[in-house]
Amino acid sequence: MTIDDLTRLDSTRIFVNGAWVAPSGGEALPVEDPSTGRIIGRIGRGGLADVDAAVEAAAAALEGEWGRLTATERGRILMRMSALVTARAEDLAMIETLDVGKPLNQSRRDSVALARYLEFYAGAADKLTGTTIPYQEGFTAYTLREPHGVCGIIIPWNYPMQILGRAVAAALAAGNAVVLKPAEDASLSSLVFASIAAEAGLPAGALNVVTGLGAEVGAALAGHRGVQHLSFTGSVATGMRIQEAAARNVVPVTLELGGKSPHIVFDDADLDLAMPVLVGACMQNAGQTCSAASRVLVQRGVYEEVRRRMAEIYRGLVVGPACDSHDLGPIVSRRQRQSVQGFIDLGRRELTLAAEGTLHPEAPPEGHYVLPTLFSEVPPDHALAREEIFGPVQVLMAFEDEAEALRLANGTDYGLVAGVWTRDGARQLRMARKLHSGQVFINNYGAGGGVELPFGGVGRSGHGREKGFEALYGFTRVKTVTVHHG
Ligand code: NAI
Ligand code: MG
């Protein structure tokens, strides 16, 4: 079966105003399977004219059929999209596995999450309300929650379905129109999503998908005068560019920029429960996860035991082709693989290697594989303890007491997610308050994704909140109306 059979699309086309059109420049970009290094398809290389057309179509949709729908009707369309995603969940998972190199059992979870985001925001659409405000005698004051208008959504390649789900479903539920720019390394699932939206009856122009390069389509969308809100997930460097572009047009922006998330283990932790989570919270998607728990901070009394048990798990981890659902698949691209391998090589020169995993003998040599690698006794100022690696690499550090745990945990520029393992209830509450982080998980990590749980960063991890009901506030603006009736 080819990738075109799976997508049932001509993936060199882009989706603008409800129609599949060739990008204005007529060029295409290759689609690579990172498990084999083979080119398995092509996507369109959109340009300025395509972004203009998509923004214009989105603006027209707000003035037309889409803008006239009630919140309940918008919710019903999203619910139909959810059902269609569920019906095509297996195709979508396979597409993602071939395009991104994500083990199939993990891609399946992404299809389920996409359907769930659509379902959650479908139900939320008609529950988003303004307030009435007690005010002076003779006045009635209230607020209206209105959509921003045209939302530019730029997503990365690591969880395309989950990230487009959380952003696009919330934006549409709130009544915005969307121009979506997927990552050049992983655009196919966004195109299939557009076809599902059309099949579900989403009016033309409410969702447009323009594929292409970040420096071309991404930059054009971020700087476009017709866009009223930007939402971006990706690197800090690109996030800064997006915020600069947003500043020039004075539009709000939501940034989710990854992190260097700490996983903290106290002496009194239930280690049997914690051990698989300590490793899994970073190895998922081969460490290419914004919320990866890449730093493991362990109290001195259990440090040796945690190091030994983590090393044992690492030695059992197998890396191999994504279709075979090994523990880890490849890294998404040659460039990203080089970057991750560079960190591993640096660690091997300067740090203590605690353990590594193994490469499956049948992994094709042209695939972008790296071995999961654990370093111990890592000094907190080392590059591997401070920089986002975005690969299957964890650093272990010991701490003496709660104060030192907090100092280490809060000691990077990031703050997206933190995990804490302790049976001490008072300490759980203290840590939750004092960690500089958008999310804190106690005696778990990630809680299985949590469509319902607001998510976002502090510091260089970004700002604004996605997921949960909270995201709907970010995709709307408040208008205050005051009526003097005497
Ligand atoms: P990136 O931030 O450059 O790419 C993310 C998205 O932004 C893609 O759709 C890309 O086409 C677009 N983009 C790139 N340049 C742009 C520009 N000038 N204007 C507008 N859009 C632009 O990330 P990249 O290069 O793929 O990965 C590099 C590093 O970024 C990773 O090693 C990782 O540390 C971090 N990253 C973080 C993610 C997260 O979930 N927070 C996701 C992906 C990458
Ligand atoms: Mg690819």
Side-chain angles (χ1 to χ4, degrees), residues 153-159 163 166 181-185 212-223 232-239 241-242 256-259 288-291 332-333 335-336 339-340 343 388-391 414 416 455 461:
I153 297 179
I154 301 174
I155 63 167
W157 41 263
N158 56 339
Y159 288 81
I163 297 173
R166 76 189 185 198
K181 188 267 180 240
E184 45 272 50
D185 285 323
L213 299 174
E216 297 175 0
V217 174
L221 182 59
F232 171 78
T233 303
S235 64
V236 176
T238 303
R241 282 198 202 100
I242 306 278
E256 196 269 87
L257 308 179
Q288 304 167 107
T289 305
C290 40
S291 55
V332 70
S333 64
R335 181 179 66 116
Q336 281 299 117
S339 158
V340 174
F343 279 106
E388 183 176 52
I389 299 172
F390 231 60
Y414 293 102
L416 191 59
F455 177 70
S461 290

Side-chain angles (χ1 to χ4, degrees), residues 31-34 98-100 185-186 332:
V31 172
E32 187 195 37
D33 173 1
L98 292 172
D99 201 358
V100 185
D185 285 323
V332 70

Side-chain angles (χ1 to χ4, degrees), residues 165-190:
R166 76 189 185 198
V168 175
L172 292 178
N176 299 280
V178 171
V179 179
L180 172 67
K181 188 267 180 240
E184 45 272 50
D185 285 323
S187 291
L188 296 176
S189 54
S190 293

Side-chain angles (χ1 to χ4, degrees), residues 233-258:
T233 303
S235 64
V236 176
T238 303
M240 287 176 173
R241 282 198 202 100
I242 306 278
Q243 184 152 354
E244 281 165 14
R248 279 193 291 275
N249 290 327
V250 199
V251 295
V253 54
T254 297
L255 299 178
E256 196 269 87
L257 308 179

